[in-house]
Amino acid sequence: MGLVGSLQVVVLVALTSTATGLDIPLEVEQPPTIITYTSGPMVALPFDNKITIRCEARGNPPPEYRWTKDGEDFVPPYVTTDYPDGTFVLHNKGLIAFKGKYRCYASNKLGTAMTEEIELRVPSMPKFPKEFNFPVVVKEGEPIILECNPPEGMAPRQIYWMSSDLEHIEQDERVSMSTDGNLYFSNALQNDSRQDYCCFAHFFKIRTIVQKADMAVVVKSLKPGNESADAGNATQAPPARIPSMLLPSGVQTEKVLLRGENLQLECIPQGYPTPTVKWMKMGDKLPLRTQMNNFGKLLFISSIHESDGGKYMCKAQNSAGEVVHYFNVIVDDPPKWETEPPHSQLTVIGTDVHIKCSVSGKPLPDITWRRNGDVIIDDPGSNKQVFDDTLVLLNARAQDSAVYQCEASNPHGSILANINIMVMNMAPRILTRDFQEYAVVQGEDIVMNCSVFSSPPPNISWAKDETLEIVKAERFLAVDGDLKILSAEKNDRGKYLCVASNTEGNSSITAVLDVKDSTKIVYAPQDLQIISGTTAQLMCQAEVDKSLLGAFEVVWRKDGEEIPLSSEENSRYFMDDGMLQIMSVNLSDQGRYTCIARTILDEDNATALLTVLDVPDAPKNVEILELKSQRNVCLSWVPGSDHNSSVTEFIVEYEESQWEPGRWKELKKVAGNQETAEVALQGHLNYQFRVYAVNVVGPGPPSEPTERYKTPPAAPDKNPENIRIRGHLPHQLDISWEPLLPIEHNAPGLEYKVSYRKLGVEDVWKEHLVQRHSFVVSNTSTFIPFEIKIQSRNSHGWGPDPKVATGYSGEDVPTAAPRDIAVEVINTTLLRVSWTPAPPATVRGHLGGYVVHWLRKRSWLEPNRILDDRKMLFFPGKRTLAIVPGLEPFSEYILTVNVLNKKGNGPNSDPVTFNTPEGAPDPVPILTASNAQKDSILLVWAPPLKTNGILTGYLLQHHLVNETTLEAVVSQETNITGADTTQWQLRGLEEGSLYRFHLRACTRAGCGPPLAQESRTPVTAASKGVLRSNFLTQGWFIGTMCAVALLTLVALMACFVRRNQGGKYAVKERENLHSDAESQGMKDDTFCEFSDSEEKPLKGGSLRSLPGDEALGDSVSRGSLDDYGNVGREFNEDGSFIGEYSGFTHRGSVSEPSAPRPVKA
């Protein structure tokens, strides 16, 4: 009790149940409540195998069931186990015996509930009775009624009047069928006579049509004097007849309908001439919904309501008079609840219970009260009193607990309500499980349940269990006894106590709440454009509370529908670590993709748009429209879908059936924003066209081909192109051209007219007609210019005027050589050659260029040895000067020049003999330093491989090197005059020092490049001892050595930094400073520059080579020399020495010698 007292301090909200409704948990004992049953009426169709009549109720204890049929007890023949106990099944066989009205009763020890009546209708199979129909005989002008009297059956039913040949009987204002199925004739005419009037009834639900026996009608005509006669004799018009009603009979008809039904009022008159029918509503206008059917004889109003009631009148009139009929329309209502059925009630002992049964209907329903299915008899001494529509239980006791029924009925139906009345006093019973666990994600709402049953209603309060802290009311709400927490926070987790109490006692339970982290997508899918046929990848990654990982999943939806993810091979959808992969994307995959990361508590989602790019669809409706002529047409089309990628162009293709049937070729391209194309066509062809579109994805499929379009024949539109004029033989002119394509013939019989004449000599054209695309003119002079024309012609005329082409007859080898050959030796390896060109007439063809041949006859180092070293260079084009490289120094040469055309070389010029001067020798191949003494070193070398002249001796330079700075401190030169000397003892050197040696070989032209070597003189043992005894004991020596060590360390660091910066040895830098950069250009047509003296190097350095491949560069003509015979390869057209040599392995590289430079000490 102390706990209860403390709870009263922390009450948030007190909840009190009202007596207006009752929803008792099934754990509590209670009377039966009908929860479902079959609502009538039920109709058993012939093809139904069985009829199931259901009745299900709940209660505690579970209810038992019984049935009544037409007010009598009924035991179902077969109770199914597929449904609850109250349901039974009737099988089709013998179903007619079960026709009637059923009621279900569900009972337990606390009461009995019952259902409304359930009517089972079992219609019989419809059929017309067997009968003999006597002929209907009438006079012309009299009315006729053919009765159908269709059998009853399952609605809806449709009536037809037809002949025995199944032809419909024509209906109009005179002849019409009523809603009862009879056929009415307002007046008879002779052509109404026939033997086969048939009535058919069609029952749609049972798929059955029945037919009545044929009926015969005989219409007798009238003789003059109003005497009847058989048909076929002379007749006269019937007399006029005043209208009267065939349907309905009498003067007035009462029509009662229910609200919402359709109103049909029908007036079918007789009379001659045929009367017309008019309708009106007495005292009011006809409703706007009114329809006039059956030629004005049927008034129809759908879904009538109370305002449609009243008096209606139909009037039928003709020239003889009129007749009227009145309809009194009454609109009724079946019983219905004014608001809702009365509710069950739970109340305490000693109170008055009021059960109100508020119903409406027209006429006003009668109310019957029952208790547990038995009618309540009005007894003044009983505590059950009935006041109009209310049943009152005065000073209710526990034994008044029962199921009460209120049933309201009028002629149009009935309604029934079961009301459970429970009278008791009971302490609170909490139905929610104790220590129920709840989980919610942070920021979401949570409801913790506390379902209580008691009488009287309980007060319910919530509090924190452990600390009994008062929960702030802003986020904590009590809803029907449950505690709702808005926007849950982490500190809301813990235990909560629900306490329910009333006058009979109290009860409590504990609820446990856990607040978890929310699920959040941290990497959302991005909008994506993808080409059809490729793989699309959509990434989705989320963060989730660790305790919810077991129930965490990621699902994908496309346009709101979940994507089925399967591991089957034929599946196109795969998901791995949050990534959705769609294989072989197609247009159906386009849409909005939503990633949903969810747990059992919450979810987060993100959406991306997937756009699929594909080739455009084929254009449609390609049409042909002629323009100015039949050979100029305009094509139009309707573009197909571009599939999210704009069309860049449309391509028009054609196919013709004469030359290449079935092969489509491109005719024209137009921009992607155009939908038409104007095209010019060839003549005498049978075309068809198609169009396809192109976008960035690629070309789409073509459209359907157009119908064939035939163009008329015409003269050729063009002449042959690419006319080639050549002379394969010296006295011959070969003419060829590119023929017209077959589709360019424009008509049959294509041929070519070849016209030619000598240029500037003849005025008259010589002409020949040929069908091939070449022609040969023989017996011409060698290399004579001609004018040529080629013109097309077919059976419809000539092509346009042809253009004139110029060419030459065949070439022959030149007959003369260049004259006045002059040679100027530039240096030891370079030569300038000049000449006077051969006369043009002797070239006898197109000048190809000149070929310079030279032969090295001997080297003056070995004058008695005859050489045969032949080389040549080709110089294309018209020129008189050439530079020849690659000569050997100190040699004798013979040189000739000849002219070249496409037929070959002309004769050689007179030979010219010249000598190249001596040059500086090559470097010595090897230099070694050996036998080093304290003041001398022995140098040994080998002579140069090429002396390039007479060797006169060697120049030896030696340098004392500072080992700290690596610079030369002292330098000296020694001239060694003996050409055969290969070693030299160098004396006077300092002991223990580093020396660098440079050795050059020399000729009269100068000294060649040096070869370097380094060596050190040794320190003897005696010198080491003296130094040790004299200095080691001196203090100043020790200080000096420390300073030297420090300076050496600084120098080494400076050297290291300098090396890292790409520095060079100082000696090398000094040598570079000593090199002579003086050079002089050549004043001729060569682009290279040469030294004017062998003592001076070429500009740009001491050694430079220009390999043939590199030296050719862009300045060398790349035209083929195959037409000029075997003269080598390709050479510079400007006459420079850059070129290739016949027979050279290294393709004519040029070395520039460098003269020696003395170094003075």
Side-chain angles (χ1 to χ4, degrees), residues 597-613:
R598 67 188 180 193
T599 64
I600 57 175
L601 296 181
D602 72 332
E603 66 179 40
D604 192 14
N605 66 78
T607 300
L609 177 63
L610 178 65
T611 304
V612 179
L613 309 180

PDB file of all heavy atoms in Angstrom, residues 597-613:
ATOM      1  N   ALA A 597      16.849   1.422 -46.037  1.00  0.00           N
ATOM      2  CA  ALA A 597      17.625   0.761 -44.982  1.00  0.00           C
ATOM      3  C   ALA A 597      16.714   0.674 -43.764  1.00  0.00           C
ATOM      4  O   ALA A 597      16.297   1.702 -43.219  1.00  0.00           O
ATOM      5  CB  ALA A 597      18.887   1.546 -44.671  1.00  0.00           C
ATOM      6  N   ARG A 598      16.385  -0.552 -43.341  1.00  0.00           N
ATOM      7  CA  ARG A 598      15.369  -0.684 -42.304  1.00  0.00           C
ATOM      8  C   ARG A 598      15.732  -1.750 -41.279  1.00  0.00           C
ATOM      9  O   ARG A 598      16.465  -2.701 -41.568  1.00  0.00           O
ATOM     10  CB  ARG A 598      14.016  -0.993 -42.921  1.00  0.00           C
ATOM     11  CG  ARG A 598      13.911  -2.350 -43.596  1.00  0.00           C
ATOM     12  CD  ARG A 598      12.608  -2.486 -44.343  1.00  0.00           C
ATOM     13  NE  ARG A 598      12.468  -3.776 -44.995  1.00  0.00           N
ATOM     14  CZ  ARG A 598      11.543  -4.058 -45.908  1.00  0.00           C
ATOM     15  NH1 ARG A 598      10.684  -3.118 -46.269  1.00  0.00           N
ATOM     16  NH2 ARG A 598      11.478  -5.249 -46.457  1.00  0.00           N
ATOM     17  N   THR A 599      15.209  -1.528 -40.105  1.00  0.00           N
ATOM     18  CA  THR A 599      15.255  -2.505 -39.019  1.00  0.00           C
ATOM     19  C   THR A 599      13.812  -2.761 -38.591  1.00  0.00           C
ATOM     20  O   THR A 599      12.870  -2.260 -39.211  1.00  0.00           O
ATOM     21  CB  THR A 599      16.081  -1.977 -37.838  1.00  0.00           C
ATOM     22  OG1 THR A 599      15.420  -0.816 -37.293  1.00  0.00           O
ATOM     23  CG2 THR A 599      17.489  -1.581 -38.290  1.00  0.00           C
ATOM     24  N   ILE A 600      13.658  -3.521 -37.513  1.00  0.00           N
ATOM     25  CA  ILE A 600      12.295  -3.765 -37.016  1.00  0.00           C
ATOM     26  C   ILE A 600      11.691  -2.515 -36.399  1.00  0.00           C
ATOM     27  O   ILE A 600      10.478  -2.473 -36.154  1.00  0.00           O
ATOM     28  CB  ILE A 600      12.291  -4.922 -36.002  1.00  0.00           C
ATOM     29  CG1 ILE A 600      13.257  -4.613 -34.851  1.00  0.00           C
ATOM     30  CG2 ILE A 600      12.636  -6.238 -36.673  1.00  0.00           C
ATOM     31  CD1 ILE A 600      13.223  -5.648 -33.745  1.00  0.00           C
ATOM     32  N   LEU A 601      12.522  -1.497 -36.137  1.00  0.00           N
ATOM     33  CA  LEU A 601      12.026  -0.293 -35.457  1.00  0.00           C
ATOM     34  C   LEU A 601      11.857   0.890 -36.389  1.00  0.00           C
ATOM     35  O   LEU A 601      10.932   1.683 -36.223  1.00  0.00           O
ATOM     36  CB  LEU A 601      12.982   0.093 -34.316  1.00  0.00           C
ATOM     37  CG  LEU A 601      13.110  -0.909 -33.175  1.00  0.00           C
ATOM     38  CD1 LEU A 601      14.057  -0.376 -32.122  1.00  0.00           C
ATOM     39  CD2 LEU A 601      11.745  -1.204 -32.552  1.00  0.00           C
ATOM     40  N   ASP A 602      12.742   1.068 -37.352  1.00  0.00           N
ATOM     41  CA  ASP A 602      12.668   2.270 -38.180  1.00  0.00           C
ATOM     42  C   ASP A 602      13.302   1.983 -39.524  1.00  0.00           C
ATOM     43  O   ASP A 602      13.813   0.885 -39.784  1.00  0.00           O
ATOM     44  CB  ASP A 602      13.343   3.453 -37.489  1.00  0.00           C
ATOM     45  CG  ASP A 602      14.865   3.309 -37.463  1.00  0.00           C
ATOM     46  OD1 ASP A 602      15.348   2.160 -37.460  1.00  0.00           O
ATOM     47  OD2 ASP A 602      15.564   4.339 -37.451  1.00  0.00           O
ATOM     48  N   GLU A 603      13.290   2.991 -40.338  1.00  0.00           N
ATOM     49  CA  GLU A 603      13.909   2.883 -41.655  1.00  0.00           C
ATOM     50  C   GLU A 603      14.269   4.279 -42.150  1.00  0.00           C
ATOM     51  O   GLU A 603      13.750   5.290 -41.668  1.00  0.00           O
ATOM     52  CB  GLU A 603      12.981   2.199 -42.654  1.00  0.00           C
ATOM     53  CG  GLU A 603      11.734   2.980 -42.995  1.00  0.00           C
ATOM     54  CD  GLU A 603      10.865   2.271 -44.016  1.00  0.00           C
ATOM     55  OE1 GLU A 603      10.731   1.030 -43.939  1.00  0.00           O
ATOM     56  OE2 GLU A 603      10.323   2.958 -44.894  1.00  0.00           O
ATOM     57  N   ASP A 604      15.189   4.315 -43.107  1.00  0.00           N
ATOM     58  CA  ASP A 604      15.556   5.550 -43.800  1.00  0.00           C
ATOM     59  C   ASP A 604      15.584   5.212 -45.286  1.00  0.00           C
ATOM     60  O   ASP A 604      15.852   4.065 -45.673  1.00  0.00           O
ATOM     61  CB  ASP A 604      16.925   6.062 -43.326  1.00  0.00           C
ATOM     62  CG  ASP A 604      17.187   7.488 -43.800  1.00  0.00           C
ATOM     63  OD1 ASP A 604      16.232   8.148 -44.256  1.00  0.00           O
ATOM     64  OD2 ASP A 604      18.346   7.940 -43.715  1.00  0.00           O
ATOM     65  N   ASN A 605      15.307   6.193 -46.118  1.00  0.00           N
ATOM     66  CA  ASN A 605      15.296   5.907 -47.552  1.00  0.00           C
ATOM     67  C   ASN A 605      15.890   7.072 -48.318  1.00  0.00           C
ATOM     68  O   ASN A 605      15.932   8.214 -47.832  1.00  0.00           O
ATOM     69  CB  ASN A 605      13.871   5.600 -48.036  1.00  0.00           C
ATOM     70  CG  ASN A 605      12.944   6.792 -47.931  1.00  0.00           C
ATOM     71  OD1 ASN A 605      12.968   7.705 -48.743  1.00  0.00           O
ATOM     72  ND2 ASN A 605      12.102   6.789 -46.890  1.00  0.00           N
ATOM     73  N   ALA A 606      16.368   6.780 -49.492  1.00  0.00           N
ATOM     74  CA  ALA A 606      16.924   7.786 -50.406  1.00  0.00           C
ATOM     75  C   ALA A 606      16.604   7.321 -51.824  1.00  0.00           C
ATOM     76  O   ALA A 606      16.589   6.121 -52.114  1.00  0.00           O
ATOM     77  CB  ALA A 606      18.431   7.943 -50.218  1.00  0.00           C
ATOM     78  N   THR A 607      16.353   8.275 -52.685  1.00  0.00           N
ATOM     79  CA  THR A 607      15.895   7.969 -54.046  1.00  0.00           C
ATOM     80  C   THR A 607      16.835   8.598 -55.061  1.00  0.00           C
ATOM     81  O   THR A 607      17.333   9.706 -54.877  1.00  0.00           O
ATOM     82  CB  THR A 607      14.460   8.490 -54.254  1.00  0.00           C
ATOM     83  OG1 THR A 607      13.601   7.853 -53.310  1.00  0.00           O
ATOM     84  CG2 THR A 607      13.959   8.180 -55.650  1.00  0.00           C
ATOM     85  N   ALA A 608      17.082   7.861 -56.140  1.00  0.00           N
ATOM     86  CA  ALA A 608      17.878   8.350 -57.264  1.00  0.00           C
ATOM     87  C   ALA A 608      17.138   8.035 -58.558  1.00  0.00           C
ATOM     88  O   ALA A 608      16.392   7.054 -58.644  1.00  0.00           O
ATOM     89  CB  ALA A 608      19.270   7.717 -57.277  1.00  0.00           C
ATOM     90  N   LEU A 609      17.360   8.895 -59.541  1.00  0.00           N
ATOM     91  CA  LEU A 609      16.726   8.720 -60.848  1.00  0.00           C
ATOM     92  C   LEU A 609      17.717   8.047 -61.786  1.00  0.00           C
ATOM     93  O   LEU A 609      18.819   8.551 -61.998  1.00  0.00           O
ATOM     94  CB  LEU A 609      16.283  10.073 -61.418  1.00  0.00           C
ATOM     95  CG  LEU A 609      15.664  10.039 -62.813  1.00  0.00           C
ATOM     96  CD1 LEU A 609      14.376   9.230 -62.799  1.00  0.00           C
ATOM     97  CD2 LEU A 609      15.388  11.451 -63.322  1.00  0.00           C
ATOM     98  N   LEU A 610      17.312   6.904 -62.329  1.00  0.00           N
ATOM     99  CA  LEU A 610      18.133   6.194 -63.317  1.00  0.00           C
ATOM    100  C   LEU A 610      17.562   6.496 -64.698  1.00  0.00           C
ATOM    101  O   LEU A 610      16.406   6.178 -64.988  1.00  0.00           O
ATOM    102  CB  LEU A 610      18.128   4.686 -63.062  1.00  0.00           C
ATOM    103  CG  LEU A 610      18.914   3.843 -64.075  1.00  0.00           C
ATOM    104  CD1 LEU A 610      20.396   4.168 -64.014  1.00  0.00           C
ATOM    105  CD2 LEU A 610      18.687   2.354 -63.834  1.00  0.00           C
ATOM    106  N   THR A 611      18.387   7.131 -65.512  1.00  0.00           N
ATOM    107  CA  THR A 611      17.983   7.452 -66.885  1.00  0.00           C
ATOM    108  C   THR A 611      18.764   6.566 -67.836  1.00  0.00           C
ATOM    109  O   THR A 611      19.994   6.534 -67.790  1.00  0.00           O
ATOM    110  CB  THR A 611      18.257   8.938 -67.201  1.00  0.00           C
ATOM    111  OG1 THR A 611      17.582   9.750 -66.228  1.00  0.00           O
ATOM    112  CG2 THR A 611      17.767   9.290 -68.588  1.00  0.00           C
ATOM    113  N   VAL A 612      18.062   5.843 -68.673  1.00  0.00           N
ATOM    114  CA  VAL A 612      18.693   4.917 -69.623  1.00  0.00           C
ATOM    115  C   VAL A 612      18.776   5.596 -70.985  1.00  0.00           C
ATOM    116  O   VAL A 612      17.769   6.069 -71.521  1.00  0.00           O
ATOM    117  CB  VAL A 612      17.902   3.602 -69.725  1.00  0.00           C
ATOM    118  CG1 VAL A 612      18.556   2.662 -70.728  1.00  0.00           C
ATOM    119  CG2 VAL A 612      17.822   2.936 -68.365  1.00  0.00           C
ATOM    120  N   LEU A 613      19.998   5.661 -71.488  1.00  0.00           N
ATOM    121  CA  LEU A 613      20.223   6.216 -72.821  1.00  0.00           C
ATOM    122  C   LEU A 613      20.288   5.065 -73.817  1.00  0.00           C
ATOM    123  O   LEU A 613      20.971   4.070 -73.586  1.00  0.00           O
ATOM    124  CB  LEU A 613      21.525   7.019 -72.866  1.00  0.00           C
ATOM    125  CG  LEU A 613      21.729   8.077 -71.775  1.00  0.00           C
ATOM    126  CD1 LEU A 613      23.064   8.779 -71.964  1.00  0.00           C
ATOM    127  CD2 LEU A 613      20.604   9.089 -71.788  1.00  0.00           C
TER     128      LEU A 613
END
